[in-house]
C-alpha cells in the first residue's frame, strides 16, 4: 500500500502503517525498525516526513491530558490536532495565543516545522511550547522543559530527533475575536505604513495574486479585550474599504467554509483560523511555498514579487502576507528575527512551479528570505544551511539522539545533516 500527503503531490516510501497502543509499544517499534517516522496529518508538501521504513500513526493519541491553571499550561498527546485541542480548551476558561490558517494540522507537526499564525506580537505555534517528551532512536524516553540547555534545539526538531509523545503548551485566558475584512489595499501603503497595517489588529493577513499593485483583501482579527469592537466603525483600513459580505481569500470562491466575518464576535477558536473547524479541506489540487524574512523588508520584497507577476499569473491561486514575532528556537525561521511571511498557494502543477521558484527565490534573496521547512522550495542546501546559525549545535543533538539516522531521510540528509554517518544498506 502507498501513502500520500494531504495535497497528493508526494508519495511516501513507507511500506507499512502501524498504530502503537502505548508509549511502551512505540518504544518497542522504534527499537525493532531500522527506519521509522510519524505520518502526522500529511500537511507538509515536500519529503521532510518521508521514510523508506514504516510509518507510525499517533492519530488516536489525541487527548488533552492536563490543564495546569497555576502554571498556565496544557499538556497534550503527540497526535492531537489543533481542532481537537481547541474543542477541549473551549470547555475551559483558557485559550491558545494563536492558530494557523487550518485547524486540521497536528500540534506536534506544527511545532516541529515552526508553523505559524499571524500577528506582529505573536510568536509561531512552536513558541508556545513549554515542554516536550520524545522517544529517541534507541527507544528511550526523554523530557525537555523550557530553560533546559537543549530545549531551544528540540522544539523545532524537523522530526530528526525522535517521535514526540507529549507536548506542554502555554495557554492564556480565553478571549473573543471580531473579524473584519477590507478590500483593495494599495501596495504602496506598505512603504510608509507597514507597521500600522500589521499591528492594527491582533492578527492581520494580506491577500493578493500580485497582478495589480494592491492586496485584494485584508483580514483583521481583533480581540474585543483590546478594543476590537471599535473596528466596526472604521470607514477604511489604510485606503482599503470594508467588505459588505463574507468573502473567501480566493476570489469567486464561496465563503461558507470560512470563519465568521463582518465583525460578529466569537470565541478565539472560532475566529483565529481562516477556515471553520468543522470544514475538512479536500485532498490536494494545490501546492504551497512560503518564505520568511526580516519584517523591515516587506515593502521592497513585495515590489520584487510584483515584478514577477507575469510569471506568477498562470500558476498562482493566491498569496498571503503575515507577520510573526521573534523567538529563540534554533531552527525556527523566526529565531532572533521579527519576520514577515510571504505565502504562495499554487496550482497543482509542480513542473511549472519548479520553473518559477528559482526566479522567486532570486528576487527574495536580497532580503535574506528563509523557506518554510514543510513547503516547496528550490533553495540550494548550502544557502539554506548558511541561514541558520544554530545548525551546528542541532547536528550535535542528532548525533546524540539519532546517531545512525533512523529518523532521517533524503530531505534531512540534504538540508540538515549532509555529513551524517549512513547506516549499512542506506541509499
Amino acid at each position: 500500500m502507498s501513502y500520500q500527503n494531504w495535497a497528493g503531490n508526494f508519495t511516501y516510501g513507507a511500506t507499512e502503517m502501524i498504530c502503537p497502543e502505548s508509549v511502551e509499544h512505540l518504544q518497542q517499534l522504534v527499537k525493532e525498525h531500522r527506519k521509522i517516522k510519524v505520518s502526522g496529518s500529511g500537511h507538509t508538501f515536500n519529503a521532510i516526513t518521508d521514510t523508506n521504513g514504516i510509518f507510525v500513526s499517533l492519530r488516536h493519541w489525541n487527548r488533552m491530558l492536563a490543564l495546569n491553571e497555576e502554571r498556565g499550561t496544557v499538556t497534550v498527546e503527540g497526535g492531537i490536532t489543533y481542532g481537537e485541542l481547541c474543542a477541549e480548551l473551549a470547555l475551559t476558561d483558557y485559550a491558545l495565543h494563536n492558530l494557523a490558517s487550518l485547524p486540521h494540522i497536528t500540534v506536534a507537526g506544527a511545532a516541529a516545522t515552526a508553523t505559524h499564525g499571524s500577528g506582529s506580537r505573536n510568536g509561531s505555534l512552536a513558541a508556545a511550547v513549554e515542554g516536550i517528551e520524545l522517544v529517541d532512536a534507541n527507544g528511550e524516553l526523554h523530557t525537555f522543559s523550557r530553560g533546559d540547555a537543549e530545549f531551544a534545539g528540540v522544539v523545532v526538531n524537523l522530526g530528526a530527533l525522535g517521535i514526540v509523545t507529549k507536548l506542554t503548551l502555554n495557554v492564556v485566558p480565553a478571549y473573543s475575536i471580531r473579524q473584519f475584512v477590507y478590500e483593495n489595499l494599495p501596495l504602496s501603503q506598505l512603504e510608509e505604513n507597514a507597521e500600522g497595517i500589521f499591528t492594527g489588529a491582533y492578527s492581520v493577513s494580506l491577500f493578493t495574486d500580485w497582478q495589480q499593485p494592491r492586496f485584494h483583501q485584508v483580514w483583521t482579527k481583533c480581540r474585543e479585550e483590546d478594543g476590537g469592537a471599535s473596528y466596526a466603525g472604521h470607514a477604511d483600513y489604510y485606503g482599503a474599504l470594508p467588505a459588505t459580505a463574507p468573502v473567501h481569500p480566493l476570489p469567486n470562491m464561496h465563503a461558507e467554509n470560512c470563519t465568521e466575518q463582518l465583525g460578529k464576535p466569537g470565541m478565539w477558536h472560532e475566529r483565529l483560523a481562516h477556515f471553520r473547524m468543522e470544514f475538512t479541506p479536500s485532498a490536494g489540487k494545490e501546492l504551497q511555498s512560503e518564505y520568511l524574512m526580516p519584517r523591515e523588508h516587506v515593502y521592497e520584497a513585495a515590489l520584487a514579487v510584483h515584478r514577477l507577476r507575469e510569471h506568477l499569473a498562470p500558476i498562482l491561486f493566491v498569496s498571503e502576507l503575515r507577520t510573526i514575532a521573534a523567538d529563540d528556537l534554533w531552527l525556527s525561521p523566526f529565531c532572533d528575527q521579527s519576520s514577515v511571511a510571504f505565502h504562495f498557494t499554487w496550482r497543482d502543477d509542480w513542473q511549472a512551479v519548479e520553473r518559477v521558484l528559482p526566479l522567486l527565490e532570486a528576487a527574495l534573496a536580497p532580503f535574506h528570505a528563509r523557506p518554510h521547512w514543510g513547503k516547496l522550495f528550490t533553495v540550494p542546501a548550502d544557502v539554506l544551511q548558511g541561514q541558520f546559525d544554530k545548525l551546528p549545535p542541532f547536528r550535535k543533538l542528532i548525533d546524540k539522539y539519532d546517531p545512525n539516522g533512523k529518523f532521517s531521510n533524503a530531505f534531512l540528509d540534504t538540508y540538515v545533516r549532509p555529513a551524517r554517518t549512513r547506516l549499512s544498506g542506506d541509499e
Side-chain angles (χ1 to χ4, degrees), residues 19-203:
C19 300
E21 300 171 359
S22 64
V23 172
E24 292 75 20
H25 185 195
L26 174 61
Q27 289 175 290
Q28 189 61 37
L29 289 172
V30 172
K31 291 177 183 178
E32 290 174 353
H33 289 84
R34 186 177 64 86
K35 286 285 192 177
I36 186 169
K37 297 284 279 188
V38 176
S39 59
S41 63
H43 276 76
T44 52
F45 290 80
N46 57 31
I48 193 169
T49 57
D50 194 22
T51 182
N52 58 8
I54 69 159
F55 266 153
V56 293
S57 170
L58 304 184
R59 187 67 195 88
H60 301 298
W61 295 27
N62 62 347
R63 294 177 299 164
M64 187 176 89
L65 298 174
L67 177 66
N68 189 322
E69 298 187 36
E70 183 177 344
R71 298 185 61 186
T73 62
V74 63
T75 300
V76 300
E77 290 184 309
I80 198 168
T81 67
Y82 279 96
E84 292 165 337
L85 175 54
C86 288
E88 294 287 336
L89 276 180
L91 304 176
T92 75
D93 294 325
Y94 292 90
L96 300 175
H97 81 288
N98 216 340
L99 293 173
S101 299
L102 287 173
H104 311 85
I105 59 177
T106 64
V107 175
T113 54
T115 294
H116 59 91
S118 179
S120 292
R121 301 179 183 88
N122 302 326
S124 72
L125 303 183
V129 176
E130 282 291 308
I132 190 166
E133 177 184 277
L134 63 79
V135 174
D136 74 5
N138 292 320
E140 296 180 6
L141 196 64
H142 301 269
T143 58
F144 306 86
S145 299
R146 183 169 292 280
D148 294 348
E150 297 177 337
F151 176 82
V154 171
V155 177
V156 181
N157 58 68
L158 311 182
L161 303 180
I163 297 176
V164 173
T165 54
K166 290 181 186 177
L167 287 158
T168 297
L169 310 175
N170 286 320
V171 292
V172 298
Y175 51 95
S176 94
I177 292 277
R178 291 176 182 259
Q179 183 163 244
F180 300 92
V181 177
Y182 299 84
E183 296 180 307
N184 297 317
L185 173 74
L187 189 155
S188 59
Q189 287 284 355
L190 290 180
E191 183 174 16
E192 300 293 336
N193 297 312
E195 179 69 13
I197 289 168
F198 285 111
T199 60
Y202 186 74
S203 170

Side-chain angles (χ1 to χ4, degrees), residues 78-378:
I80 198 168
T81 67
Y82 279 96
E84 292 165 337
L85 175 54
C86 288
E88 294 287 336
L89 276 180
L91 304 176
T92 75
D93 294 325
Y94 292 90
L96 300 175
H97 81 288
N98 216 340
L99 293 173
S101 299
L102 287 173
H104 311 85
I105 59 177
T106 64
V107 175
T113 54
T115 294
H116 59 91
S118 179
S120 292
R121 301 179 183 88
N122 302 326
S124 72
L125 303 183
V129 176
E130 282 291 308
I132 190 166
E133 177 184 277
L134 63 79
V135 174
D136 74 5
N138 292 320
E140 296 180 6
L141 196 64
H142 301 269
T143 58
F144 306 86
S145 299
R146 183 169 292 280
D148 294 348
E150 297 177 337
F151 176 82
V154 171
V155 177
V156 181
N157 58 68
L158 311 182
L161 303 180
I163 297 176
V164 173
T165 54
K166 290 181 186 177
L167 287 158
T168 297
L169 310 175
N170 286 320
V171 292
V172 298
Y175 51 95
S176 94
I177 292 277
R178 291 176 182 259
Q179 183 163 244
F180 300 92
V181 177
Y182 299 84
E183 296 180 307
N184 297 317
L185 173 74
L187 189 155
S188 59
Q189 287 284 355
L190 290 180
E191 183 174 16
E192 300 293 336
N193 297 312
E195 179 69 13
I197 289 168
F198 285 111
T199 60
Y202 186 74
S203 170
V204 176
S205 293
L206 312 184
F207 290 95
T208 182
D209 61 6
W210 300 108
Q211 296 310 298
Q212 301 295 326
R214 58 97 176 100
F215 298 93
H216 65 268
Q217 290 173 13
V218 181
W219 287 43
T220 66
K221 302 170 191 284
C222 314
R223 281 175 49 122
E224 284 206 283
E225 294 83 347
D226 300 333
S230 66
Y231 280 78
H234 278 199
D236 74 302
Y237 195 86
Y238 295 92
L241 298 179
T244 57
V247 295
H248 190 285
L250 283 174
N252 305 318
M253 291 286 290
H254 200 281
E256 62 183 348
N257 294 322
C258 297
T259 47
E260 196 82 40
Q261 301 164 33
L262 301 177
K264 184 177 180 180
M267 293 307 295
W268 61 279
H269 61 285
E270 299 171 331
R271 298 291 184 274
L272 282 177
H274 294 334
F275 299 98
R276 298 177 186 272
M277 296 286 181
E278 62 271 23
F279 163 60
T280 301
S282 60
K285 305 310 175 189
E286 68 179 56
L287 305 174
Q288 294 181 14
S289 300
E290 188 173 43
Y291 301 91
L292 307 311
M293 66 204 78
R295 199 176 301 166
E296 61 265 26
H297 298 313
V298 61
Y299 176 60
E300 292 82 2
L303 290 178
V305 177
H306 178 58
R307 286 193 284 269
L308 295 175
R309 58 191 177 276
E310 293 183 4
H311 298 280
L312 301 176
I315 57 172
L316 182 69
F317 279 128
V318 72
S319 187
E320 180 182 8
L321 272 62
R322 293 176 284 178
T323 50
I324 308 95
D327 61 41
D328 63 349
L329 306 174
W330 292 359
L331 293 194
S332 166
F334 323 111
C335 187
D336 301 327
Q337 171 181 295
S338 296
S339 302
V340 61
F342 280 59
H343 185 276
F344 301 85
T345 300
W346 311 105
R347 298 183 185 277
D348 185 18
D349 185 349
W350 170 237
Q351 288 186 337
V353 172
E354 189 177 25
R355 288 193 296 268
V356 168
L357 286 182
L359 301 176
L360 180 60
E361 291 163 357
L364 295 177
F367 313 113
H368 310 288
R370 298 166 171 171
H372 187 297
W373 288 109
K375 301 187 188 295
L376 296 169
F377 60 87
T378 60

